[in-house]
């Protein structure tokens, strides 16, 4: 359709054709404090966290990094100074591009969301399942997956992938899942890193297993692999598109340390046809279809991105979080997280009276480290760690409550040792 409105025109009401002026000047990048991505202390200096505390729960909802904070303020100032004019500028396109590059995605495959939960709701709420088809998920997934699936009304089965998480193995996980897949299984819904135990699933091996199971199936009958990846994105080195899954949902305000209230939903281009958009997009293609009286046609990720007005100053600052990780190097980030997680697991495993729940094998764990002190309430343990040792930890939000730590970019190996000593002093 000729003269179809673009997203900027839609958001701004199509009223202004903005030339360079105050809004354009406001969009220029502000100078940043000196930052050396090769120096871990310099990396830590980008976090505004209270240095009198050891922050092992910063992954839960990210503090705004210095470059993210500056970007948020820049966009907020632009919107406040000339809202209509600032909306006419393309601040969202660069975010899509940065997300696609970091995920290893092709152009148009990524939708922007507000959280992992929103992404899962869009994904599972839009599934096109035929009568007789089902969804297979696991006993270990978080509420957001289980509830999103329940709300669809589709038949859903759950399978346990391991008994004792500390003794889980890749072979056991893959074989249990393979045994549960049926000809009617259209979707396999899993989580990359289990937030309740710290177990990291071998997603690539699961994808290879499903590829074999799908051999000979029609495209409409393929079992699609859908992943909640929030505790792997930003902590693991693997590019999402290399995992072999069909869909991947993640908030970007956890291990990636992006702006609060941001996330991504990625899908293979060929897989997007199995999902219908749930919320109208404000994309140019969406409006062109509406004005032309036809079904919108365009990049599936853009069409799946919920329309409406958002906290744009946060969404548009997401590019800076991707750039931050890219500057450090995803391999170095993953090594830093893994080094500290391994150190913490080894230390806790040697403390009498502490039971390590997360597997010690790095191939089956990422940054999350979960443990318990038999006979002690996890909440009380976390309170004591903060009050007596200035250590911030958390409790898993599951029926089986555990003490949970998340070593990463804001923490140091020395602080990991402090956690081990503090846990030893508490038991």
């Amino acid at each position: 359709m000729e003269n179809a409105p673009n997203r900027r025109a839609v958001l701004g009401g199509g009223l202004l054709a903005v030339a360079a002026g105050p809004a354009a000047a406001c969009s220029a990048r502000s100078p940043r404090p000196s930052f050396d991505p090769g120096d871990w202390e310099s990396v830590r200096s980008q976090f505004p966290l209270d240095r009198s505390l050891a922050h092992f729960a910063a992954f839960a909802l990210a503090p705004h990094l210095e470059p993210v904070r500056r970007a948020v303020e820049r966009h907020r100032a632009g919107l406040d100074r000339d809202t209509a004019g600032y909306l006419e500028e393309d601040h969202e396109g660069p975010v899509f591009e940065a997300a696609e590059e970091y995920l290893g995605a092709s152009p148009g495959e990524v939708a922007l969301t507000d959280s992992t939960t929103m992404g899962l709701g869009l994904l599972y709420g839009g599934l096109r399942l035929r009568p007789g088809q089902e969804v297979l998920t696991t006993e270990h997934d978080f509420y957001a997956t289980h509830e999103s699936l329940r709300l669809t009304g589709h038949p859903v089965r759950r399978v346990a992938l391991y008994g004792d998480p500390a003794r889980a193995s890749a072979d056991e996980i893959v074989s249990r899942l393979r045994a549960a897949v049926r000809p009617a299984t259209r979707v396999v819904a899993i989580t990359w890193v289990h937030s309740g135990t710290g177990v990291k699933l071998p997603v690539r091996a699961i994808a290879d297993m499903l590829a074999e199971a799908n051999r000979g199936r029609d495209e409409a009958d393929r079992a699609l692999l859908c992943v909640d990846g929030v505790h792997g994105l930003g902590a693991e080195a693997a590019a999402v598109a290399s995992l072999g899954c069909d869909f991947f949902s993640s908030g970007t305000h956890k291990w990636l340390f992006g702006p609060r209230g941001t996330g991504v939903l990625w899908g293979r281009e060929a897989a997007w046809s199995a999902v219908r958009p749930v919320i109208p997009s404000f994309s140019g293609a969406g409006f062109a279809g509406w004005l032309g009286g036809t079904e919108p046609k365009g990049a599936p990720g853009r069409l799946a991105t919920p329309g409406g007005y958002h906290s744009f100053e946060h969404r548009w600052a997401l590019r800076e979080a991707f750039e931050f990780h890219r500057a450090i190097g995803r391999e170095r980030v993953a090594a830093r997280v893994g080094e500290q997680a391994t150190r913490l697991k080894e230390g806790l495993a040697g403390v009498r009276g502490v039971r390590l729940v997360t597997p010690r094998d790095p191939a089956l764990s990422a940054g999350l480290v979960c443990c318990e002190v038999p006979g002690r309430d996890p909440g009380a343990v976390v309170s004591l760690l903060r009050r007596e040792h200035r250590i911030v930890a958390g409790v898993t939000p599951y029926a089986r409550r555990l003490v949970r730590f998340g070593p990463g970019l804001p923490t140091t190996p020395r602080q990991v040792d402090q956690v081990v000593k503090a846990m030893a002093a508490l038991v």
Side-chain angles (χ1 to χ4, degrees), residues 16-28 81-82 85-86 88-89:
L16 296 177
V18 179
C26 185
S27 68
R81 180 175 292 128
D82 179 4
Y86 204 69
E88 286 280 345
E89 301 177 20

Side-chain angles (χ1 to χ4, degrees), residues 253-291:
H253 48 211
K254 289 188 182 289
W255 296 88
L256 192 76
F257 296 105
R260 291 182 286 271
T262 60
V264 292
L265 173 62
W266 169 81
R268 288 189 308 104
E269 184 177 5
W272 273 112
S273 62
V275 178
R276 63 172 62 85
V278 173
I279 299 174
S281 78
F282 269 24
S283 64
F287 269 80
W290 173 57
L291 293 174

Side-chain angles (χ1 to χ4, degrees), residues 37-162:
D39 181 344
W40 290 122
E41 192 54 36
S42 179
V43 170
R44 289 185 70 229
S45 74
Q46 303 302 299
F47 291 86
L49 294 164
D50 181 350
R51 286 298 189 98
S52 72
L53 296 166
H55 295 274
F56 285 85
F59 67 87
L61 184 61
H64 282 178
L65 296 161
E66 180 63 19
V68 169
R69 184 192 65 78
R70 287 176 174 268
V72 168
E73 291 303 320
R74 183 175 73 251
H75 291 304
R76 179 176 293 138
L79 288 166
D80 286 344
R81 180 175 292 128
D82 179 4
T83 306
Y86 204 69
L87 285 172
E88 286 280 345
E89 301 177 20
D90 183 14
H91 302 289
E92 199 149 293
V95 178
F96 277 110
E97 292 171 3
E100 289 161 354
E101 181 179 346
Y102 185 83
L103 299 176
S106 297
E109 292 182 337
V110 175
L112 298 180
T113 69
D114 294 350
S115 64
T116 311
T117 301
M118 176 184 278
L120 294 174
L122 294 171
L123 171 58
Y124 297 134
L127 282 174
R128 304 175 191 266
L129 263 63
R130 300 200 312 269
Q133 292 184 322
E134 64 166 20
V135 178
L136 175 65
T137 188
T138 83
E139 297 285 356
H140 318 286
D141 289 87
F142 185 52
Y143 163 81
T145 291
H146 287 165
E147 186 66 2
S148 293
L149 291 173
R150 185 189 70 81
L151 291 172
T152 68
H154 296 313
V156 178
R157 286 187 300 116
R158 298 183 190 178
V159 59
L161 301 182
Y162 48 80

